Amino acid sequence: MSDLILHHYPTSPFSEKLRLILGHKKLPWKSVFIPAIMPKPDVLPLTGGYRRTPVLQVGADIYCDTALIADVLEHLAPEPTLYPEPEKGMSRILAQWADSTLFWAAMAWNLQPKGAAEVFVKAPPEAIKAFGEDRGKMSVGNMTRLRPADAAAAYKSYLRRISDMLDDKPFLLGEMPCIADFSAYHPLWYTRRIEAVKGILELTPAVGDWMDRIAAIGHGKSTQFSADEAIAVGKASMPGSLLTDSTFQDDHGIPLGTQVTIRAESFGLEETVGKLVAASRMHYTLERTDDRAGTLHVHFPRIGYVLKKADNA
């Protein structure tokens, strides 16, 4: 198997989710740091347009969205499992809630004026402006952002509910962490990094103890890798998916081999264009060719993404 190459940046919450899963599964990985905002000249040759962070590369296969990447890591290292029986379905539903509803409530709280002032304290005004404009462009569409006061009420309620889940067990669904733990942890991890706003976590001591247990897992063994090296790996490799669900599921009337576009539903609406080579119960795969990176397969989860025929199809 080719090396696992994680394209990420240190302060990315969703990257922290994956770094901990890699540590939990004891999978060695190569670390490529990417910009937090556009332009991303060494990411787009791999993804074809998708610009959210992180991205996992395995040879010429590019996996987008942490929900799908977690499935890839589960396939590579089934134990310890991220999806324990009999709570397999519950763990996925909780993870989806945490990656969306919980995440946006937490980030609205985290980046309220006093939180944002601390996060960007050393940044020049033009960098702060660029970050705001970048995230504004990513939010265009049907996405609603919470105001800080509304976020505070929601976040406090969510933290109490997480605390209630920890009354009689060390992790959310049992004795071992699962996908729900890693998904619920990363937005709280961002809160804990900001002195001006982290006091909200003191209202739920059990949540703080649980966070300590998750943090203790660590990120495992990683080595630095350059973006040029990662792109060269893609060009020298042949696609070979690590996803195990391959049966064609046609919900759109779009046959395999059609030129299509795929984009996220609500945040980061940049499209990736390519030939549809898989549309299974769980994922889509596009084949595309880039001058720098060669022929690649770019994989997306089915849930949360929009598939359409390309204009020229």
Side-chain angles (χ1 to χ4, degrees):
M1 186 196 75
S2 299
D3 292 329
L4 302 178
I5 304 172
L6 186 67
H7 299 258
H8 68 123
Y9 59 89
T11 59
S12 160
F14 279 94
S15 297
E16 181 66 8
K17 171 186 172 181
L18 280 191
R19 292 186 292 252
L20 286 164
I21 292 175
L22 287 161
H24 182 55
K25 288 185 171 291
K26 296 180 170 54
L27 288 166
W29 53 285
K30 292 187 174 178
S31 170
V32 176
F33 287 148
I34 63 175
I37 64 173
M38 293 288 270
K40 298 187 177 186
D42 296 320
V43 175
L44 300 191
L46 298 171
T47 66
Y50 179 87
R51 47 77 56 93
R52 284 158 55 172
T53 305
V55 169
L56 180 72
Q57 177 185 355
V58 185
D61 287 271
I62 310 301
Y63 299 94
C64 303
D65 197 291
T66 61
L68 185 67
I69 295 169
D71 286 338
V72 172
L73 301 182
E74 180 79 357
H75 171 72
L76 292 174
E79 297 296 334
T81 183
L82 294 173
Y83 312 105
E85 297 289 359
E87 294 89 2
K88 183 177 181 179
M90 177 64 76
S91 69
R92 287 186 182 274
I93 289 171
L94 276 173
Q96 187 176 356
W97 165 81
D99 283 339
S100 54
T101 304
L102 174 64
F103 176 81
W104 288 115
M107 295 308 289
W109 169 262
N110 295 336
L111 295 178
Q112 62 182 286
K114 63 182 180 180
E118 182 178 328
V119 169
F120 296 108
V121 66
K122 295 181 180 179
E126 58 270 22
I128 299 171
K129 181 182 178 182
F131 183 88
E133 290 176 349
D134 181 82
R135 291 306 188 261
K137 291 175 182 177
M138 291 184 77
S139 303
V140 173
N142 61 351
M143 180 178 170
T144 301
R145 290 288 190 104
L146 289 174
R147 295 175 300 176
D150 298 321
Y155 198 15
K156 288 174 184 176
S157 290
Y158 297 151
L159 289 170
R160 285 194 296 268
R161 293 171 191 179
I162 292 171
S163 181
D164 288 343
M165 296 179 70
L166 297 165
D167 280 348
D168 59 351
K169 50 189 177 295
F171 298 101
L172 296 183
L173 293 179
E175 296 300 314
M176 294 290 289
C178 68
I179 190 63
D181 293 275
F182 295 108
S183 292
Y185 173 84
H186 69 88
L188 280 59
W189 166 81
Y190 200 87
T191 303
R192 199 180 235 186
R193 296 177 64 255
I194 307 172
E195 288 290 332
V197 301
K198 72 177 187 180
I200 196 170
L201 299 173
E202 296 174 3
L203 302 174
T204 49
V207 172
D209 293 342
W210 164 78
M211 291 182 69
D212 291 341
R213 290 191 286 273
I214 297 289
I217 292 169
H219 298 162
K221 183 179 180 181
S222 67
T223 54
Q224 289 299 122
F225 208 54
S226 74
D228 285 338
E229 288 174 310
I231 289 172
V233 166
K235 191 158 192 175
S237 304
M238 293 288 291
S241 178
L242 295 171
L243 298 166
T244 57
D245 62 321
S246 58
T247 302
F248 179 47
Q249 180 173 308
D250 183 10
D251 295 323
H252 297 78
I254 300 176
L256 298 180
T258 302
Q259 285 291 116
V260 299
T261 66
I262 292 179
R263 65 163 177 83
E265 286 179 350
S266 61
F267 184 69
L269 305 184
E270 293 82 5
E271 294 179 335
T272 294
V273 181
K275 180 172 71 175
L276 185 67
V277 295
S280 72
R281 180 175 59 89
M282 297 284 286
H283 79 282
Y284 300 118
T285 299
L286 299 190
E287 182 176 284
R288 53 177 305 277
T289 300
D290 179 85
D291 289 342
R292 287 179 67 196
T295 298
L296 306 164
H297 281 186
V298 188
H299 309 274
F300 300 86
R302 195 149 189 149
I303 293 175
Y305 287 79
V306 176
L307 171 72
K308 292 182 179 180
K309 281 186 178 180
D311 291 339
N312 60 351

